[in-house]
Amino acid sequence: MDDLTMSPVIGLPQFGQVVSFMFIPPFNSSIITESDYVFYIVIVQHFFTYFIIRLLCAFVKTSTLRGRFITHSYKKEDAELLPIHRQQTLLEWLKEEGALKISDISERFGVSEMTVYRDVNQLADANRIIRTPGGITLPPASERSANQCGYCLRPIQHSYSVQLITVSQAVEQMCCIHCAILRYEDKKEEVSHVICKDFLLQTTLTAASAYFLVHADIDLHCCRPQAIPFSTLDYAERFQKGFGGVICTFDEAADIILHDRQKGCTCSKT
């Protein structure tokens, strides 16, 4: 019987067999017959194999659920950290679609409607959108303030303001070079001139003739990344010595801002 008890049972995982033998007593012919002993071995081995399989399944299921929870929590936390990004995206969607439902916004962003309402309330309080039953829309053009940026709709600081002049002589006011570049890219074929002001002298100049300092270590409390215009290369270089950054032309500044926007660049509130 020693040979019999140490023989593996065909079709059962070997680990289950080894564990089961720890609970199988030696064969005793005065207590149990040989056929009953073999049956007892098979039952015990099946029980321990079943137990081990269920234990492994429970472990895998728990690990999978934990992984899903962590992934979901990370995505939700990531969305909560970018309210400004969501708000700017909302404004872009409204410009394209005219109106949006709260439920649709929630589904697109993958956040709760409560989170959407927080974003909407901030935009509405700043007069950048109008609430509608179950949704939002942009205010009519006639209701927008002349001191609001034509791109991000925030108040304009005239020392940084930029004008886009179209071929039909219409003028659009932007709060800064950042928004002027983004708006210019939207309607490049319609724009004839981009007019800005020298940061130091406050003199008017065309963007095509200006030099821009991008990524300087200074906070102008406007949209980012900032692009600061100068009428001469000398002024730009002097300012660069104190605040760092990259000096470039209008087209080069546009490339930088558009590149940063693809990585998550947004217009930031003060």
Side-chain angles (χ1 to χ4, degrees):
M1 267 330 288
D2 289 340
D3 293 338
L4 178 61
T5 57
M6 295 304 295
S7 299
V9 179
I10 303 302
L12 294 175
Q14 188 173 0
F15 184 74
Q17 298 174 33
V18 172
V19 174
S20 66
F21 281 128
M22 298 171 60
F23 296 86
I24 298 176
F27 175 73
N28 188 335
S29 59
S30 63
I31 299 176
I32 190 171
T33 64
E34 182 175 331
S35 60
D36 289 340
Y37 185 70
V38 172
F39 179 75
Y40 174 76
I41 292 174
V42 173
I43 292 300
V44 172
Q45 289 180 338
H46 273 288
F47 171 80
F48 277 95
T49 301
Y50 174 78
F51 176 79
I52 291 170
I53 291 174
R54 288 298 301 269
L55 189 63
L56 289 173
C57 289
F59 175 78
V60 171
K61 184 177 181 180
T62 302
S63 299
T64 303
L65 290 175
R66 186 182 295 114
R68 289 177 180 175
F69 176 77
I70 293 173
T71 300
H72 175 71
S73 298
Y74 171 77
K75 290 181 179 179
K76 183 177 180 180
E77 180 182 3
D78 187 52
E80 292 290 347
L81 291 175
L82 297 173
I84 298 171
H85 185 198
R86 290 197 304 270
Q87 291 170 20
Q88 183 58 40
T89 302
L90 278 177
L91 292 174
E92 293 175 0
W93 287 347
L94 286 173
K95 290 175 183 178
E96 296 173 358
E97 303 174 36
L100 293 168
K101 293 182 178 179
I102 298 297
S103 58
D104 291 341
I105 299 171
S106 173
E107 184 177 351
R108 292 192 195 184
F109 282 135
V111 299
S112 67
E113 291 191 8
M114 184 66 69
T115 298
V116 175
Y117 274 114
R118 284 200 297 267
D119 293 334
V120 166
N121 289 338
Q122 290 183 23
L123 291 172
D125 291 343
N127 298 319
R128 300 171 73 181
I129 64 169
I130 292 178
R131 299 183 187 91
T132 61
I136 57 173
T137 187
L138 286 174
S142 59
E143 294 183 13
R144 298 178 195 171
S145 169
N147 292 323
Q148 279 186 315
C149 175
Y151 188 82
C152 72
L153 304 182
R154 70 183 71 255
I156 292 176
Q157 300 182 53
H158 289 284
S159 56
Y160 308 144
S161 64
V162 181
Q163 292 78 43
L164 266 64
I165 303 176
T166 67
V167 292
S168 62
Q169 299 304 304
V171 179
E172 293 189 22
Q173 296 279 350
M174 305 296 151
C175 63
C176 60
I177 288 292
H178 175 104
C179 286
I181 286 174
L182 297 181
R183 182 60 174 156
Y184 175 76
E185 289 298 318
D186 288 343
K187 52 186 306 181
K188 185 181 298 185
E189 295 180 357
E190 301 176 36
V191 177
S192 61
H193 295 90
V194 178
I195 307 298
C196 55
K197 296 179 181 179
D198 181 283
F199 181 73
L200 297 176
L201 305 179
Q202 289 296 295
T203 54
T204 302
L205 65 154
T206 63
S209 65
Y211 296 90
F212 297 89
L213 188 62
V214 182
H215 292 154
D217 188 18
I218 183 174
D219 188 0
L220 301 182
H221 301 289
C222 203
C223 306
R224 299 173 182 273
Q226 301 169 149
I228 306 174
F230 296 92
S231 57
T232 68
L233 179 60
D234 180 56
Y235 288 153
E237 290 176 339
R238 291 184 184 184
F239 202 83
Q240 182 188 41
K241 290 179 181 179
F243 296 95
V246 179
I247 298 175
C248 50
T249 64
F250 179 76
D251 289 338
E252 292 168 342
D255 290 339
I256 293 173
I257 289 175
L258 292 172
H259 178 265
D260 285 356
R261 186 191 190 197
Q262 291 174 353
K263 296 188 299 183
C265 169
T266 63
C267 294
S268 60
K269 278 190 173 183
T270 57

